[in-house]
Amino acid sequence: MDTMPAFDPATLDGLDRGIIGIDGLWCPSCAAAVSRAMTKVPGVTSAEVSFAGASVALSWDKGTDLSAVARKVSAMGYRLTPPDTGDGMEDRIVAEMRRVATRLVVAIVFGMWTMVLSILLYLNPDNIAAGATGRALAMAAGAMALPVVVWAGAPILLAGWRTARVGVPGMDSLVGLGVTGAVIASVWSLSVGRSEVWFDTAVMLVVLLTLARLVEMATLRQSSRAIAALRTALPETARRVGDDGNVHEVLASEIRAGDRVRVAAGERVPLDGQLVASDSSFDTSIMTGESAPRAIIKGGTVEAGFVNLSRMIEVSVTAEVGVRRIDIMGVDIANALHARPEIHRLADRLARVIVPLAITLATLTLLVGLTMGLSGEEASLRALSVLIIACPCAVAIAAPVSHLAATGAAAASGIHFRTHAASESLGAVRRVLFDKTGTLTEGRPVLRELQLRSGLDRARLLAFVAAAENEVIHPVAQALRRAAQDQKLLTATKSERFDDGVKATVDATEVMVGSRGFLFRNGITLPEEEHETGLTAVYMATDGEWAATFLLGDTLRPDAASTISQLRASGLILGMASGDAPAPCAHVGAIAGLKQNEIRAACTPEDKATLVEAGPGPTAFVGDGVNDTLAIVRADVGIAATDASPATIALADVVIAKGGMTAVGEAIAISQKSRRILRQNLVFSVTYNVLALGLAVGGTVPPLAAAAAMAASSLMVIANAGRLRAGVVKSKASAEQNAEAKAGTTGETLPKSRTNSATNEIYIKEVDV
């Protein structure tokens, strides 16, 4: 039973835009038809319908009657509702996938018998088609095709009629025309005592389009998780501080501006606000992408999603649930998903030409034949041949088989094309922008250099720092503990934490670890600073003397520089957009092979999205964090890097499951080959249709030959698409062999060097103080 409430126009009073749910959408073609119908309502300025979101981003002039929009949609068989989000969106698509899968099984089971019986009629052993046996086989083929057309194909026929009725015929209209024409022609042939039938054509079209629809919906299932994945980054509850000082845990949605909430060390901040009790350090990576801690003083602004690292804090709430910065980002993402123009497949555009052309030619052929004195039967057979030739089997499968071939080839390299458009449009991008942390780099700080006082033992110092920083949650402390994981475990017997450091007693030694200022304030003399730009320095003293400086930094992915070089050589415009400071961005960019004018630092999520839209397109954006999601959806092709966040994966058009940066280059190369294959298939399909239609109009192609030619054209399209996977596998094998040969002949290894930030080697330097 449908429990979704109906849309109430009063909820949008005083507004001129909004997102409204649509119940009953079955396919992207349905979404296109609804969008076209809505824009015809007086006062509606734009209507971008998202099939994945089952909603529309609607804009209208003040005073527009939104009830008229609801009535227009209702007349098409759909219903406006409040927008659906989160799990409900995914549940709707999963339920529809089950229904489509059931229809596909029925179509295959019954269609298989239709095909077998039709093949017997085509082969015509012992001339059985001319007798009673032939008619019996033809009628049996029709009986087996009945559940395929009437039940499995019903949504296709309905969607085709709806899209054609509002003037936007797509693939559903084209396939619906072919199915209807084949069935009508077959019934007419049986009614006049003939055994020539074309039920197999109708069955083939229903099976192919239903299969393509199931694949399409499987990719859309992930997109439905976008807003839900963004919300999971935030806690659902908050600890509100009452007027009496007592703390009560309530839903975050119950907190109002002006309330105070308490957040313990290690927890995420639930709402935007200001620090009112004490200073603390925060992991702000949800907005900046950088995991290095950021100190925020009392009175400073914190945002929902920040991780409190140092101590218990209190926050005076300034933005409630729904108006937090991350909520506004969610609305921007929802609007971008609607407003981003979907790349209509060439086959859909061809459908708008072929549908009226086929009907017009078939009608003209019938009328001209009758005018020329042909019998009604002969003129009808010529018209039938035209309709069968125009039946878009090859055109209908050209895009799906090319997409499936590209998807299969990419999957072997750990690359997942999430949509039909992505497998084709990625190969057309002119510009590729990269996030820095977690995309070009590994995404976490590691110990890269250790400067220690002469005569001290490296292993003992690492054990000291790990004991002093034990159970501290911020990324720098975690990096120091990882560096000491092979050393003997020591325990701090006494520990005291400060804003920028820690004092501890470890193995009867007084240990201090912290910033340069922290050690200065405690009377420690430090050596002159000497280290690479972009590294974070942590200082340690033992028993009142400087002992070591730990230099930490992110590391470039091993294949980042080679991928940048490869993409640049292919003529692409490259760039980096990062939330990190200018110095580390310039450092990483230079090592990766990017020019200074290609590097943009200190970018907010909104800045990244603006950068994507401002430059020459089409543009691909490669990112991994929540702060990249807005840029991901604004880009022509959004790519989720290896180990990306769930929100990024949910929104991306292409997901790199393995292979790192190398896979980004491979994905572009596969898409370029897919574009060539798709265009070859479409050119062949259209050429076939044009030539065969000319012959059919002249009466030189009988219906049986037309059906055989149509089947042959479909097989050629499938065979051509198969070349894509074979070519990619061969290229990949050749590349691996070349890499192995090169590695075997050079025998070179990267030297241990303080300037080699593409390795995880620790550079050791002894310093005399």
Side-chain angles (χ1 to χ4, degrees), residues 188-209:
W188 175 81
S189 180
L190 287 173
S191 69
V192 297
R194 307 172 65 98
S195 60
E196 291 176 322
V197 290
W198 301 272
F199 294 116
D200 56 315
T201 297
V203 165
M204 187 188 309
L205 289 169
V206 170
V207 169
L208 287 172
L209 190 60

PDB file of all heavy atoms in Angstrom, residues 188-209:
ATOM      1  N   TRP A 188      -2.114  -9.792 -38.656  1.00  0.00           N
ATOM      2  CA  TRP A 188      -2.734  -9.628 -39.980  1.00  0.00           C
ATOM      3  C   TRP A 188      -2.337 -10.770 -40.904  1.00  0.00           C
ATOM      4  O   TRP A 188      -3.172 -11.310 -41.647  1.00  0.00           O
ATOM      5  CB  TRP A 188      -2.293  -8.295 -40.594  1.00  0.00           C
ATOM      6  CG  TRP A 188      -2.771  -8.094 -42.000  1.00  0.00           C
ATOM      7  CD1 TRP A 188      -3.994  -7.672 -42.421  1.00  0.00           C
ATOM      8  CD2 TRP A 188      -2.003  -8.353 -43.179  1.00  0.00           C
ATOM      9  NE1 TRP A 188      -4.052  -7.643 -43.777  1.00  0.00           N
ATOM     10  CE2 TRP A 188      -2.829  -8.058 -44.287  1.00  0.00           C
ATOM     11  CE3 TRP A 188      -0.701  -8.804 -43.429  1.00  0.00           C
ATOM     12  CZ2 TRP A 188      -2.407  -8.191 -45.609  1.00  0.00           C
ATOM     13  CZ3 TRP A 188      -0.259  -8.931 -44.731  1.00  0.00           C
ATOM     14  CH2 TRP A 188      -1.121  -8.633 -45.810  1.00  0.00           C
ATOM     15  N   SER A 189      -1.041 -11.170 -40.885  1.00  0.00           N
ATOM     16  CA  SER A 189      -0.576 -12.265 -41.746  1.00  0.00           C
ATOM     17  C   SER A 189      -1.310 -13.558 -41.426  1.00  0.00           C
ATOM     18  O   SER A 189      -1.730 -14.303 -42.330  1.00  0.00           O
ATOM     19  CB  SER A 189       0.937 -12.451 -41.566  1.00  0.00           C
ATOM     20  OG  SER A 189       1.412 -13.499 -42.371  1.00  0.00           O
ATOM     21  N   LEU A 190      -1.506 -13.843 -40.131  1.00  0.00           N
ATOM     22  CA  LEU A 190      -2.233 -15.057 -39.746  1.00  0.00           C
ATOM     23  C   LEU A 190      -3.695 -14.974 -40.168  1.00  0.00           C
ATOM     24  O   LEU A 190      -4.297 -15.976 -40.585  1.00  0.00           O
ATOM     25  CB  LEU A 190      -2.134 -15.260 -38.229  1.00  0.00           C
ATOM     26  CG  LEU A 190      -0.777 -15.722 -37.668  1.00  0.00           C
ATOM     27  CD1 LEU A 190      -0.803 -15.713 -36.148  1.00  0.00           C
ATOM     28  CD2 LEU A 190      -0.430 -17.124 -38.181  1.00  0.00           C
ATOM     29  N   SER A 191      -4.269 -13.781 -40.099  1.00  0.00           N
ATOM     30  CA  SER A 191      -5.687 -13.627 -40.420  1.00  0.00           C
ATOM     31  C   SER A 191      -5.985 -13.857 -41.895  1.00  0.00           C
ATOM     32  O   SER A 191      -7.103 -14.209 -42.262  1.00  0.00           O
ATOM     33  CB  SER A 191      -6.183 -12.246 -40.002  1.00  0.00           C
ATOM     34  OG  SER A 191      -5.603 -11.239 -40.813  1.00  0.00           O
ATOM     35  N   VAL A 192      -4.978 -13.649 -42.759  1.00  0.00           N
ATOM     36  CA  VAL A 192      -5.187 -13.858 -44.198  1.00  0.00           C
ATOM     37  C   VAL A 192      -4.668 -15.220 -44.659  1.00  0.00           C
ATOM     38  O   VAL A 192      -4.522 -15.467 -45.856  1.00  0.00           O
ATOM     39  CB  VAL A 192      -4.535 -12.735 -45.028  1.00  0.00           C
ATOM     40  CG1 VAL A 192      -5.171 -11.392 -44.704  1.00  0.00           C
ATOM     41  CG2 VAL A 192      -3.021 -12.689 -44.790  1.00  0.00           C
ATOM     42  N   GLY A 193      -4.361 -16.103 -43.683  1.00  0.00           N
ATOM     43  CA  GLY A 193      -3.971 -17.460 -44.022  1.00  0.00           C
ATOM     44  C   GLY A 193      -2.499 -17.666 -44.295  1.00  0.00           C
ATOM     45  O   GLY A 193      -2.104 -18.709 -44.820  1.00  0.00           O
ATOM     46  N   ARG A 194      -1.640 -16.726 -43.953  1.00  0.00           N
ATOM     47  CA  ARG A 194      -0.208 -16.873 -44.180  1.00  0.00           C
ATOM     48  C   ARG A 194       0.475 -17.325 -42.897  1.00  0.00           C
ATOM     49  O   ARG A 194      -0.048 -17.156 -41.782  1.00  0.00           O
ATOM     50  CB  ARG A 194       0.395 -15.548 -44.655  1.00  0.00           C
ATOM     51  CG  ARG A 194      -0.304 -14.932 -45.872  1.00  0.00           C
ATOM     52  CD  ARG A 194       0.226 -13.535 -46.142  1.00  0.00           C
ATOM     53  NE  ARG A 194       1.613 -13.547 -46.527  1.00  0.00           N
ATOM     54  CZ  ARG A 194       2.039 -13.497 -47.792  1.00  0.00           C
ATOM     55  NH1 ARG A 194       1.159 -13.439 -48.794  1.00  0.00           N
ATOM     56  NH2 ARG A 194       3.310 -13.510 -48.081  1.00  0.00           N
ATOM     57  N   SER A 195       1.687 -17.854 -43.000  1.00  0.00           N
ATOM     58  CA  SER A 195       2.453 -18.293 -41.835  1.00  0.00           C
ATOM     59  C   SER A 195       3.674 -17.396 -41.574  1.00  0.00           C
ATOM     60  O   SER A 195       4.492 -17.716 -40.710  1.00  0.00           O
ATOM     61  CB  SER A 195       2.925 -19.745 -42.019  1.00  0.00           C
ATOM     62  OG  SER A 195       3.741 -19.850 -43.169  1.00  0.00           O
ATOM     63  N   GLU A 196       3.816 -16.323 -42.352  1.00  0.00           N
ATOM     64  CA  GLU A 196       4.914 -15.386 -42.113  1.00  0.00           C
ATOM     65  C   GLU A 196       4.550 -14.501 -40.917  1.00  0.00           C
ATOM     66  O   GLU A 196       3.600 -13.731 -40.969  1.00  0.00           O
ATOM     67  CB  GLU A 196       5.153 -14.512 -43.339  1.00  0.00           C
ATOM     68  CG  GLU A 196       5.738 -15.274 -44.531  1.00  0.00           C
ATOM     69  CD  GLU A 196       5.860 -14.380 -45.756  1.00  0.00           C
ATOM     70  OE1 GLU A 196       4.954 -13.552 -45.963  1.00  0.00           O
ATOM     71  OE2 GLU A 196       6.855 -14.516 -46.482  1.00  0.00           O
ATOM     72  N   VAL A 197       5.313 -14.616 -39.825  1.00  0.00           N
ATOM     73  CA  VAL A 197       5.051 -13.828 -38.624  1.00  0.00           C
ATOM     74  C   VAL A 197       6.372 -13.223 -38.115  1.00  0.00           C
ATOM     75  O   VAL A 197       7.456 -13.716 -38.433  1.00  0.00           O
ATOM     76  CB  VAL A 197       4.414 -14.689 -37.514  1.00  0.00           C
ATOM     77  CG1 VAL A 197       2.992 -15.076 -37.876  1.00  0.00           C
ATOM     78  CG2 VAL A 197       5.253 -15.920 -37.211  1.00  0.00           C
ATOM     79  N   TRP A 198       6.236 -12.175 -37.307  1.00  0.00           N
ATOM     80  CA  TRP A 198       7.409 -11.451 -36.817  1.00  0.00           C
ATOM     81  C   TRP A 198       7.342 -11.261 -35.310  1.00  0.00           C
ATOM     82  O   TRP A 198       7.799 -10.270 -34.772  1.00  0.00           O
ATOM     83  CB  TRP A 198       7.492 -10.101 -37.539  1.00  0.00           C
ATOM     84  CG  TRP A 198       7.601 -10.298 -39.024  1.00  0.00           C
ATOM     85  CD1 TRP A 198       8.739 -10.460 -39.743  1.00  0.00           C
ATOM     86  CD2 TRP A 198       6.516 -10.397 -39.943  1.00  0.00           C
ATOM     87  NE1 TRP A 198       8.447 -10.644 -41.062  1.00  0.00           N
ATOM     88  CE2 TRP A 198       7.084 -10.601 -41.221  1.00  0.00           C
ATOM     89  CE3 TRP A 198       5.126 -10.317 -39.831  1.00  0.00           C
ATOM     90  CZ2 TRP A 198       6.316 -10.751 -42.370  1.00  0.00           C
ATOM     91  CZ3 TRP A 198       4.353 -10.461 -40.967  1.00  0.00           C
ATOM     92  CH2 TRP A 198       4.946 -10.671 -42.225  1.00  0.00           C
ATOM     93  N   PHE A 199       6.767 -12.283 -34.632  1.00  0.00           N
ATOM     94  CA  PHE A 199       6.706 -12.220 -33.168  1.00  0.00           C
ATOM     95  C   PHE A 199       8.106 -12.228 -32.556  1.00  0.00           C
ATOM     96  O   PHE A 199       8.320 -11.672 -31.475  1.00  0.00           O
ATOM     97  CB  PHE A 199       5.892 -13.405 -32.626  1.00  0.00           C
ATOM     98  CG  PHE A 199       4.438 -13.373 -32.999  1.00  0.00           C
ATOM     99  CD1 PHE A 199       3.886 -14.367 -33.803  1.00  0.00           C
ATOM    100  CD2 PHE A 199       3.620 -12.347 -32.547  1.00  0.00           C
ATOM    101  CE1 PHE A 199       2.534 -14.338 -34.139  1.00  0.00           C
ATOM    102  CE2 PHE A 199       2.264 -12.313 -32.875  1.00  0.00           C
ATOM    103  CZ  PHE A 199       1.723 -13.308 -33.689  1.00  0.00           C
ATOM    104  N   ASP A 200       9.066 -12.867 -33.225  1.00  0.00           N
ATOM    105  CA  ASP A 200      10.426 -12.912 -32.692  1.00  0.00           C
ATOM    106  C   ASP A 200      11.040 -11.514 -32.611  1.00  0.00           C
ATOM    107  O   ASP A 200      11.819 -11.210 -31.706  1.00  0.00           O
ATOM    108  CB  ASP A 200      11.308 -13.822 -33.537  1.00  0.00           C
ATOM    109  CG  ASP A 200      11.318 -13.410 -34.997  1.00  0.00           C
ATOM    110  OD1 ASP A 200      10.238 -13.124 -35.545  1.00  0.00           O
ATOM    111  OD2 ASP A 200      12.411 -13.362 -35.593  1.00  0.00           O
ATOM    112  N   THR A 201      10.680 -10.649 -33.574  1.00  0.00           N
ATOM    113  CA  THR A 201      11.169  -9.272 -33.535  1.00  0.00           C
ATOM    114  C   THR A 201      10.655  -8.554 -32.298  1.00  0.00           C
ATOM    115  O   THR A 201      11.407  -7.877 -31.591  1.00  0.00           O
ATOM    116  CB  THR A 201      10.712  -8.513 -34.801  1.00  0.00           C
ATOM    117  OG1 THR A 201      11.286  -9.127 -35.942  1.00  0.00           O
ATOM    118  CG2 THR A 201      11.118  -7.056 -34.735  1.00  0.00           C
ATOM    119  N   ALA A 202       9.364  -8.713 -32.024  1.00  0.00           N
ATOM    120  CA  ALA A 202       8.775  -8.075 -30.845  1.00  0.00           C
ATOM    121  C   ALA A 202       9.421  -8.588 -29.565  1.00  0.00           C
ATOM    122  O   ALA A 202       9.761  -7.813 -28.657  1.00  0.00           O
ATOM    123  CB  ALA A 202       7.266  -8.325 -30.825  1.00  0.00           C
ATOM    124  N   VAL A 203       9.634  -9.894 -29.499  1.00  0.00           N
ATOM    125  CA  VAL A 203      10.232 -10.503 -28.309  1.00  0.00           C
ATOM    126  C   VAL A 203      11.659 -10.001 -28.110  1.00  0.00           C
ATOM    127  O   VAL A 203      12.073  -9.643 -26.993  1.00  0.00           O
ATOM    128  CB  VAL A 203      10.201 -12.042 -28.433  1.00  0.00           C
ATOM    129  CG1 VAL A 203      11.128 -12.676 -27.418  1.00  0.00           C
ATOM    130  CG2 VAL A 203       8.778 -12.553 -28.263  1.00  0.00           C
ATOM    131  N   MET A 204      12.445  -9.973 -29.195  1.00  0.00           N
ATOM    132  CA  MET A 204      13.833  -9.551 -29.095  1.00  0.00           C
ATOM    133  C   MET A 204      13.942  -8.119 -28.572  1.00  0.00           C
ATOM    134  O   MET A 204      14.762  -7.798 -27.717  1.00  0.00           O
ATOM    135  CB  MET A 204      14.518  -9.649 -30.465  1.00  0.00           C
ATOM    136  CG  MET A 204      16.023  -9.391 -30.420  1.00  0.00           C
ATOM    137  SD  MET A 204      16.771  -9.274 -32.073  1.00  0.00           S
ATOM    138  CE  MET A 204      16.161 -10.764 -32.837  1.00  0.00           C
ATOM    139  N   LEU A 205      13.085  -7.236 -29.073  1.00  0.00           N
ATOM    140  CA  LEU A 205      13.127  -5.848 -28.650  1.00  0.00           C
ATOM    141  C   LEU A 205      12.766  -5.692 -27.174  1.00  0.00           C
ATOM    142  O   LEU A 205      13.402  -4.936 -26.442  1.00  0.00           O
ATOM    143  CB  LEU A 205      12.185  -5.011 -29.515  1.00  0.00           C
ATOM    144  CG  LEU A 205      12.644  -4.783 -30.959  1.00  0.00           C
ATOM    145  CD1 LEU A 205      11.514  -4.173 -31.776  1.00  0.00           C
ATOM    146  CD2 LEU A 205      13.861  -3.895 -30.997  1.00  0.00           C
ATOM    147  N   VAL A 206      11.746  -6.404 -26.723  1.00  0.00           N
ATOM    148  CA  VAL A 206      11.344  -6.327 -25.314  1.00  0.00           C
ATOM    149  C   VAL A 206      12.455  -6.842 -24.406  1.00  0.00           C
ATOM    150  O   VAL A 206      12.797  -6.217 -23.387  1.00  0.00           O
ATOM    151  CB  VAL A 206      10.045  -7.117 -25.072  1.00  0.00           C
ATOM    152  CG1 VAL A 206       9.756  -7.240 -23.571  1.00  0.00           C
ATOM    153  CG2 VAL A 206       8.879  -6.435 -25.773  1.00  0.00           C
ATOM    154  N   VAL A 207      13.050  -7.984 -24.762  1.00  0.00           N
ATOM    155  CA  VAL A 207      14.114  -8.559 -23.936  1.00  0.00           C
ATOM    156  C   VAL A 207      15.319  -7.621 -23.863  1.00  0.00           C
ATOM    157  O   VAL A 207      15.862  -7.344 -22.784  1.00  0.00           O
ATOM    158  CB  VAL A 207      14.543  -9.938 -24.481  1.00  0.00           C
ATOM    159  CG1 VAL A 207      15.819 -10.414 -23.783  1.00  0.00           C
ATOM    160  CG2 VAL A 207      13.432 -10.960 -24.281  1.00  0.00           C
ATOM    161  N   LEU A 208      15.750  -7.095 -25.016  1.00  0.00           N
ATOM    162  CA  LEU A 208      16.936  -6.238 -25.035  1.00  0.00           C
ATOM    163  C   LEU A 208      16.732  -4.956 -24.240  1.00  0.00           C
ATOM    164  O   LEU A 208      17.596  -4.543 -23.468  1.00  0.00           O
ATOM    165  CB  LEU A 208      17.321  -5.920 -26.480  1.00  0.00           C
ATOM    166  CG  LEU A 208      17.951  -7.068 -27.273  1.00  0.00           C
ATOM    167  CD1 LEU A 208      18.116  -6.682 -28.735  1.00  0.00           C
ATOM    168  CD2 LEU A 208      19.294  -7.456 -26.677  1.00  0.00           C
ATOM    169  N   LEU A 209      15.577  -4.306 -24.422  1.00  0.00           N
ATOM    170  CA  LEU A 209      15.370  -3.048 -23.718  1.00  0.00           C
ATOM    171  C   LEU A 209      15.147  -3.279 -22.219  1.00  0.00           C
ATOM    172  O   LEU A 209      15.598  -2.488 -21.391  1.00  0.00           O
ATOM    173  CB  LEU A 209      14.182  -2.283 -24.309  1.00  0.00           C
ATOM    174  CG  LEU A 209      14.055  -0.844 -23.796  1.00  0.00           C
ATOM    175  CD1 LEU A 209      15.290  -0.030 -24.133  1.00  0.00           C
ATOM    176  CD2 LEU A 209      12.824  -0.165 -24.356  1.00  0.00           C
TER     177      LEU A 209
END
